[in-house]
Each structure stands twice: as structure tokens, then as C-alpha cells.
């Protein structure tokens, strides 16, 4: 049913100019849409589409280098573009509020979360200390946080990502604002935590009169939460309508491309047993962490990896799936001997990594390389791409001439131009940086490539390109790939087998088709059920589906 109530927010012909004309003159151009009470409007688009610029302009938080050159943003009967700083400050946190993507950077690490929520009441209302505390505790209960009294006195680093995001939501809702802007609030969260946050926002939307502008790049999230949708590209709206209209019958090619890029669940297919040699053989691996106690905190013992065994053959991709804290990253760090396991064997291409001394292991470290989650933090911003790509090969005794030859060949493989070597990381997009990180990992001719949440920070369309690239490189070079993710649908795109981890243990293992269609463990079922947009399913793209026969793989 169409919401015909008067809009809370009306944006009309908004244009924001960029300080330097690079790809386009304006960050957003002639933008027009409304947000109404009790409505969730999803603004969808890739990085650089102008979504966040629109939200920051609405909140009066645009950088000084960005200039509004046209249009108006009417909120509560006033054009916010005409307000001075004091008037903006009075609105923010009171009548309009914002939830940012990364709660760890949005919260002050030096103050307890209770004090930070209570500060909203101190700034905007004349409440005494007891009243501020009472209202803060009530908010913590409303966002479904356990033990509000304990959490009130906790610091941000003592909470999980999902709990920190709930704190941000509580802070935004403190004064019952009329407009709530959520800027990618679930992108960095596990699927189960993401489901909880989306459900919480829908509940709060039903219980309050606020309109929600929800910014995202993921159409599966749109399918889960949206009433209406605005699709943006290069600062302009290319399509808008009800969620049902846009999801079931997209009109613009860009909208269809974004929908096509959403990871799909695996189809029921037989897992083909490879006859290639075993490259990774892990047996009975264990790692336990001990934290010392103090007068304020008890000592703790955490079994991060418990008796894990598996094998991976050449040319295969093993997916390791689980929530944050399940032990995925600890397992990878043990495999690479970045930390020492307590017990167990790690055989990689005939070398027992677990028993080697650090000196003896040095010559074998090139056999296993890793691509990290954040392409922005993985490259040195002060060095050219070329100097960073050749460094690994030179460290292992390769001449500069041969190192450069390898770099140029790999740039062709990862579909990046040769002149990239003369540029700096800041001159590339997130997807391009991740391609360069893959090239850097491959320059030493590894036998194993580990992708640790390598696509979770990327737009879905770029994510799709990087997944296909990893697929192609695996087959072309005969690599063995370990793919770490919290999203089973992403794993379904390229993995042959999946290990599902919970609390340091493997609770289920099998071919990706069987895991999706007939999961046995309750935890696996919960992960699958937590995927957003469950009722909106599109067949998986054929280019990712493993073939029914064993793949031919190349050699390094």
C-alpha cells in the first residue's frame, strides 16, 4: 500500500559540486525524492554513486570542500540548507539522527557507552543525572541488549560489533527523531547479527513515527527491509519505485546489473571428488589462548581452534564459514604460522609448517599467501604500486628484471593496466586495490592462496568481479584456495567444499550444494536462514557454478 502521508523529508533538485572535476562535475545532480513517516526508503548504489553525500548534506555534515550549488532539502517545513551551524546542531540528535557504517569509529573509546548515550539527553534536554541514566537503560532494553546495567558501564572495545551497532541505534533513537538515516549499518556484520539489526530496525519503525532512509549497496537487504527504493548511479537517480516494483520488474540496466550481482544460494549439485594431489593436509590442529586475570577481571581460557582436520587438493577451493569469533582467522594464522599452534600437523606441499623453526620456515613462506579483507589498509599509501608488487619476489631471491616481468604478467591476469605500477593506492577504487592485492600475493608463485573475507567490504558488483577473478586464477594457475567468509551465499559462488565453524570447532563439512540444500547441523541452518531476502531468490549465475566434472587446472 502506497504511503500518502505528508513527507518528513523532501529533497528537490539537489546538486552538490565536487571540488575537482575528475570523473564528473557533481557528486549528486538534480536529486529528488521523499521520505515519509513509518516508511523505510532504501537508497541503493555502488561506492561513488552519491548515497553518503546525500545523507551528509541532509544532516548538515558535508565536508567544507563540497558545495551545494542547487536545490533544497526540506525537513519539518524548513530548508536545512539555509540553517546556520547552531540550528543544525539543535536538529542533529534531536529531530534527525544518523547511524554510521562502522560503530567502532563512531563511538568514543575513552567513554563508556552509557555516558555516550546519556550525553544526547544532556545536550538536548534539561534532565538531571538520574533521569538521564534511567532513560539510557530503557533505550538499552528497547534495542534488545542483554544486561543493560553492565553494558551501561562498558567501553566500546568490550562489546561485539553487533552490540556496538545497537548502541549507535539506541543513541540515534534517544529523542525519538522524525528522521533516521542508516548509512550501510549492517555491511561489516555477520549474517546472523545483520538479521537481528534489520529485524530491530523494522520493529522500531513500526513502534515509532520516524521515517528511515536506509543506505545500502545490497539488493538482498532491500528485499528484506524496504518499502520504497531509490537507485543511484554517478550522482543521479536512475530508477525509483516501490520495493515490489523494483525487485520484480527492474526497468534500468544498472538496476538489473546490481540485482544480477547479488550472491545466490547454491543449486543442488553433486560434489566431484578431485584426483589431483593433496596440497594442504591439516590433522588434529589445536590452539588455546589464555588471558591473565586481575583484581577486576577473571582469567580466561579460550579454545579458538579445537581438533580440526581437513585436506584440500590442487585446484580446489575450500570455504571456511562462520560468525566472528568462530575461529576462522585463528585457523588461518596457524596455517601460515603467524601464530604457533598448541598441537597438530600442518602439511603444505610436503612441508610440515607446524614443526619447522622460524628460520627453516622462511624459504617456504612463499608457498602460502593471503589477501586480506580491507584493500584500503593492505597497501602502503606512500609507495607506488610497482614497488609494492615486486618486493615479495625480490625478498625471495628473484632478480629485479624477473620480478618486473612477473608483475606485468600478473597485471594482465588481474585485468589491470601496466601503467598501474607508477601510481599510488589512493588513485584506485576498492575493487582495483583488491585486484592489486591479489597480484601482490601471486608474485611469489604460491601454491596456496588464502582469501580472508576478501570481498565482504566491496560493492556487490565489484564483489562479483573479484570472485570470478579468483575462480579464473585458481583454474589458470592450479592454485589451492582457502576462502574465509561469514556469508554462505558468497562461498557458494566459488567453493567446492565448505567447513562450517562455531566456537573453534568444525560442526559440519560437505559439498557446497549439499550444505545449502540439506544442512544437518542447527548452526548451519541458522546461518542459511539469516541471509537477507530469503523470499527473493534468483537462480545462480552460470559462470560461477562448478562443473559436473572435475575441472582442468593449470600449473604455476
Amino acid at each position: 500500500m502506497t504511503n500518502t502521508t505528508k513527507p518528513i523529508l523532501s529533497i528537490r533538485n539537489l546538486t552538490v559540486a565536487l571540488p575537482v572535476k575528475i570523473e564528473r562535475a557533481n557528486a549528486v545532480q538534480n536529486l529528488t525524492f521523499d521520505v515519509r513517516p513509518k516508511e523505510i526508503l532504501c537508497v541503493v548504489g555502488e561506492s561513488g554513486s552519491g548515497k553518503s553525500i546525500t545523507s551528509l548534506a541532509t544532516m548538515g555534515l558535508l565536508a567544507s570542500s563540497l558545495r551545494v550549488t542547487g536545490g533544497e532539502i526540506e525537513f519539518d517545513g524548513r530548508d536545512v540548507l539555509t540553517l546556520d551551524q547552531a540550528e543544525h546542531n539543535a536538529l542533529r540528535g534531536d529531530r534527525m539522527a544518523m547511524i554510521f557504517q562502522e560503530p567502532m569509529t563512531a563511538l568514543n573509546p575513552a567513554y563508556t557507552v552509557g555516558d555516550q548515550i546519556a550525553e544526547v539527553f544532556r545536550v538536548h534536554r534539561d534532565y538531571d543525572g538520574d533521569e538521564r541514566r534511567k532513560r539510557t537503560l530503557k533505550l538499552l532494553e528497547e534495542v534488545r541488549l542483554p544486561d543493560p546495567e553492565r553494558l551501561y558501564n562498558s567501553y566500546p572495545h568490550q562489546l561485539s560489533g553487533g552490540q556496538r551497532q545497537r548502541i549507535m541505534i539506541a543513541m540515534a533513537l534517544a529523542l525519538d527523531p522524525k528522521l533516521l538515516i542508516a548509512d550501510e549499518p549492517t555491511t561489516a556484520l555477520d549474517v546472523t547479527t545483520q538479521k537481528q539489526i534489520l529485524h530491530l530496525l523494522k520493529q522500531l519503525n513500526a513502534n515509532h513515527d520516524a521515517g528511515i532512509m536506509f543506505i545500502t549497496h545490497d539488493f538482498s537487504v532491500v528485499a528484506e527491509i524496504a518499502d520504497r527504493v531509490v537507485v543511484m548511479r554517478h550522482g543521479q537517480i536512475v530508477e525509483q519505485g516501490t520495493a515490489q516494483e523494483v525487485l520484480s520488474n527492474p526497468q534500468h540496466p544498472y538496476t538489473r546489473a546490481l540485482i544480477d550481482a547479488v550472491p545466490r544460494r547454491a543449486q543442488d549439485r553433486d560434489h566431484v571428488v578431485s584426483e589431483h594431489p593433496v596440497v594442504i593436509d591439516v590433522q588434529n590442529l589445536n590452539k588455546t589462548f589464555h588471558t591473565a586475570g586481575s583484581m577486576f577481571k577473571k582469567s580466561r581460557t579460550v579454545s579458538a581452534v579445537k581438533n580440526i582436520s581437513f585436506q584440500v587438493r590442487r585446484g580446489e577451493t575450500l570455504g571456511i564459514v562462520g560468525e566472528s569469533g568462530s575461529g576462522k582467522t585463528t585457523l588461518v594464522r596457524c596455517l601460515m604460522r603467524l601464530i604457533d599452534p598448541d598441537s597438530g600437523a600442518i602439511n603444505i606441499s610436503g612441508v610440515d609448517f607446524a614443526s619447522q623453526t622460524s628460520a627453516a620456515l622462511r624459504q617456504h613462506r612463499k608457498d602460502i599467501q593471503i589477501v586480506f579483507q580491507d584493500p584500503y589498509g593492505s597497501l602502503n599509501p606512500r609507495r607506488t604500486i610497482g614497488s609494492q608488487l615486486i618486493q615479495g619476489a625480490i625478498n625471495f631471491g628473484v632478480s629485479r628484471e624477473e620480478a618486473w616481468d612477473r608483475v606485468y604478467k600478473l597485471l594482465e591476469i588481474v585485468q589491470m593496466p601496466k601503467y598501474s605500477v607508477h601510481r599510488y593506492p589512493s588513485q584506485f577504487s576498492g575493487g582495483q586495490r583488491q585486484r592489486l592485492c591479489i597480484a601482490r600475493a601471486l608474485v611469489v608463485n604460491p601454491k596456496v592462496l588464502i582469501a580472508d573475507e576478501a570481498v565482504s567490504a566491496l560493492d556487490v558488483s565489484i564483489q562479483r568481479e573479484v570472485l570470478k577473478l579468483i575462480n579464473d586464477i585458481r583454474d589458470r594457475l592450479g592454485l589451492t584456495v582457502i576462502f574465509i567468509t561469514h556469508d554462505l551465499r558468497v562461498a557458494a559462488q566459488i567453493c567446492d567444499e565448505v567447513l562450517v565453524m562455531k566456537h573453534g570447532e568444525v560442526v559440519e563439512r560437505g559439498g557446497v550444494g549439499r550444505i545449502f540444500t540439506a544442512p544437518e547441523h542447527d548452526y548451519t541452518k541458522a546461518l542459511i536462514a539469516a541471509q537477507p531476502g530469503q523470499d527473493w531468490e534468483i537462480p545462480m549465475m552460470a559462470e560461477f557454478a562448478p562443473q559436473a566434472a572435475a575441472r582442468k587446472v593449470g600449473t604455476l
Side-chain angles (χ1 to χ4, degrees):
M1 183 179 295
T2 304
N3 189 338
T4 58
T5 56
K6 182 181 178 181
I8 293 171
L9 176 73
S10 291
I11 296 179
R12 294 287 178 267
N13 302 313
L14 178 67
T15 298
V16 179
L18 288 168
V20 179
K21 182 178 178 180
I22 302 175
E23 295 179 351
R24 61 182 193 262
N26 298 312
V28 298
Q29 184 172 345
N30 296 326
L31 207 66
T32 297
F33 64 81
D34 296 324
V35 181
R36 300 178 187 278
K38 288 188 176 293
E39 176 183 71
I40 299 178
L41 174 77
C42 279
V43 182
V44 189
E46 298 172 290
S47 297
S49 62
K51 309 185 305 294
S52 294
I53 293 295
T54 304
S55 67
L56 293 173
T58 303
M59 294 291 294
L61 295 173
L62 274 180
S64 58
S65 59
L66 295 173
R67 185 167 52 91
V68 176
T69 58
E72 60 183 28
I73 302 174
E74 185 179 304
F75 172 75
D76 218 7
R78 305 171 70 188
D79 184 356
V80 299
L81 297 177
T82 64
L83 303 181
D84 60 29
Q85 189 63 47
E87 290 173 315
H88 265 302
N89 290 341
L91 275 182
R92 282 194 297 266
D94 187 355
R95 306 299 290 156
M96 59 168 66
M98 189 165 180
I99 305 167
F100 294 94
Q101 178 175 347
E102 179 45 65
M104 194 60 187
T105 56
L107 292 168
N108 190 325
Y111 292 89
T112 66
V113 295
D115 285 341
Q116 294 184 63
I117 298 173
E119 184 181 17
V120 178
F121 296 117
R122 183 181 62 78
V123 171
H124 292 282
R125 296 290 186 273
D126 188 22
Y127 297 147
D128 60 26
D130 289 341
E131 182 66 16
R132 291 198 296 267
R133 181 181 178 87
K134 177 183 175 181
R135 289 176 177 268
T136 299
L137 291 173
K138 184 178 179 181
L139 279 169
L140 294 177
E141 291 178 1
E142 187 175 5
V143 296
R144 306 289 191 273
L145 279 166
D147 197 357
E149 288 282 355
R150 179 182 64 82
L151 288 178
Y152 186 99
N153 297 307
S154 298
Y155 290 88
H157 73 273
Q158 296 174 302
L159 308 181
S160 68
Q163 288 175 325
R164 288 194 290 265
Q165 198 59 285
R166 287 168 187 261
I167 294 295
M168 291 300 301
I169 293 172
M171 194 179 301
L173 292 173
L175 300 176
D176 200 14
K178 294 184 67 174
L179 175 68
L180 179 63
I181 299 176
D183 188 1
E184 303 269 15
T186 62
T187 297
L189 303 178
D190 293 329
V191 287
T192 49
T193 306
Q194 180 186 63
K195 181 180 181 180
Q196 293 168 3
I197 296 298
L198 292 177
H199 180 67
L200 175 63
L201 285 173
K202 287 194 290 187
Q203 279 190 322
L204 294 172
N205 180 245
N207 296 335
H208 297 258
D209 289 332
I212 298 178
M213 189 194 331
F214 192 102
I215 296 170
T216 182
H217 62 253
D218 190 346
F219 259 101
S220 60
V221 172
V222 173
E224 184 76 18
I225 199 172
D227 297 310
R228 287 194 305 115
V229 181
V230 168
V231 183
M232 292 184 64
R233 185 189 189 198
H234 298 163
Q236 296 178 303
I237 293 176
V238 298
E239 186 167 354
Q240 64 177 306
T242 66
Q244 179 63 30
E245 291 169 348
V246 174
L247 291 171
S248 61
N249 188 27
Q251 298 299 304
H252 197 277
Y254 179 69
T255 309
R256 292 196 292 270
L258 286 180
I259 291 174
D260 282 343
V262 174
R264 275 71 172 171
R265 61 178 298 160
Q267 304 298 307
D268 190 7
R269 59 179 185 266
D270 294 331
H271 173 59
V272 179
V273 179
S274 171
E275 296 181 355
H276 294 293
V278 172
V279 175
I280 303 174
D281 186 4
V282 175
Q283 297 297 325
N284 304 316
L285 193 66
N286 291 277
K287 179 63 181 178
T288 301
F289 293 103
H290 303 279
T291 59
S294 68
M295 64 184 296
F296 301 106
K297 186 170 63 175
K298 294 181 179 179
S299 61
R300 293 181 63 205
T301 298
V302 178
S303 296
V305 172
K306 303 178 187 176
N307 202 35
I308 289 181
S309 300
F310 62 88
Q311 291 182 334
V312 195
R313 296 178 180 272
R314 184 166 68 87
E316 283 190 336
T317 300
L318 175 71
I320 301 178
V321 180
E323 299 171 285
S324 298
S326 61
K328 306 186 304 294
T329 299
T330 299
L331 174 59
V332 167
R333 294 176 71 193
C334 287
L335 292 182
M336 299 188 71
R337 273 294 299 278
L338 298 177
I339 58 175
D340 294 328
D342 298 333
S343 61
I346 305 169
N347 190 300
I348 298 176
S349 295
V351 178
D352 187 356
F353 269 49
S355 64
Q356 297 282 320
T357 64
S358 296
L361 194 61
R362 187 181 185 279
Q363 62 180 313
H364 301 294
R365 286 197 179 277
K366 65 182 179 64
D367 290 340
I368 180 168
Q369 293 293 303
I370 188 167
V371 179
F372 294 101
Q373 175 177 353
D374 182 10
Y376 294 91
S378 297
L379 295 168
N380 189 329
R382 292 184 174 87
R383 295 179 59 192
T384 64
I385 292 298
S387 67
Q388 297 185 64
L389 293 187
I390 66 168
Q391 191 64 51
I394 291 174
N395 287 344
F396 285 101
V398 176
S399 68
R400 292 186 69 86
E401 183 179 0
E402 183 181 346
W404 278 113
D405 186 53
R406 288 187 188 182
V407 165
Y408 287 128
K409 288 179 180 177
L410 285 168
L411 287 176
E412 182 180 349
I413 289 174
V414 301
Q415 300 164 26
M416 291 292 293
K418 288 186 177 181
Y419 61 73
S420 300
V421 298
H422 304 298
R423 295 189 171 185
Y424 290 87
S426 62
Q427 296 173 282
F428 297 94
S429 68
Q432 289 173 323
R433 294 188 205 198
Q434 201 64 296
R435 289 172 181 269
L436 293 168
C437 288
I438 292 171
R440 182 177 61 178
L442 296 176
V443 77
V444 295
N445 290 343
K447 296 180 175 67
V448 177
L449 179 67
I450 296 176
D452 188 3
E453 300 277 12
V455 298
S456 64
L458 304 177
D459 291 329
V460 286
S461 55
I462 299 172
Q463 181 183 94
R464 181 172 178 262
E465 294 174 4
V466 173
L467 288 174
K468 188 175 186 300
L469 176 64
I470 293 173
N471 230 1
D472 293 343
I473 290 174
R474 174 199 61 196
D475 295 345
R476 181 171 178 174
L477 302 182
L479 285 172
T480 299
V481 178
I482 294 180
F483 193 87
I484 313 295
T485 182
H486 61 256
D487 191 336
L488 272 167
R489 289 183 309 184
V490 170
Q493 309 306 301
I494 62 171
C495 296
D496 300 293
E497 276 199 299
V498 174
L499 297 182
V500 182
M501 291 188 65
K502 181 184 182 184
H503 298 159
E505 296 181 286
V506 174
V507 297
E508 189 162 359
R509 177 180 181 176
V512 67
R514 200 278 298 165
I515 291 287
F516 253 108
T517 56
E520 297 173 356
H521 198 278
D522 288 342
Y523 180 67
T524 310
K525 295 176 183 177
L527 285 180
I528 293 173
Q531 309 289 342
Q534 286 289 314
D535 298 330
W536 178 65
E537 197 59 60
I538 303 174
M540 189 175 74
M541 301 297 288
E543 63 195 272
F544 289 122
Q547 302 300 310
R551 289 188 304 268
K552 292 182 179 180
V553 295
T555 56
L556 293 171

